[in-house]
Amino acid sequence: MSVVNPGGVSAAPVPMTPFQEFWHYFKRNKGAVVGLVYIVIMVTLAVFADLLAPHGPAEQFPRCAVASAGMAGGRQLAIHSRY
């Protein structure tokens, strides 16, 4: 008769939780990981936009507005056409 060595018996592996299983397969796809990192960075920037932006969202600067192509310093420029 054979003798069973209790120290040589290995236990069954602990099953993964659904999140562990998802992350196990997800991290193999490098494009998906890069996309996740990009999304996390964009969401973080959006959440902290008030702290990062130098001016408020409703603040306007009319002096810095783009003038039309024919205007320079409030005067009309003479535009010469080739045609």
Side-chain angles (χ1 to χ4, degrees), residues 7-30:
V9 177
S10 62
V14 178
M16 292 191 287
T17 64
F19 179 75
Q20 288 174 333
E21 184 178 1
F22 161 77
W23 186 249
H24 175 74
Y25 292 111
F26 185 81
K27 69 182 178 181
R28 290 183 181 180
N29 187 343
K30 300 301 180 191

Side-chain angles (χ1 to χ4, degrees), residues 49-50 52-61:
D50 290 338
L52 298 173
H55 305 290
E59 194 172 352
Q60 296 183 6
F61 302 96

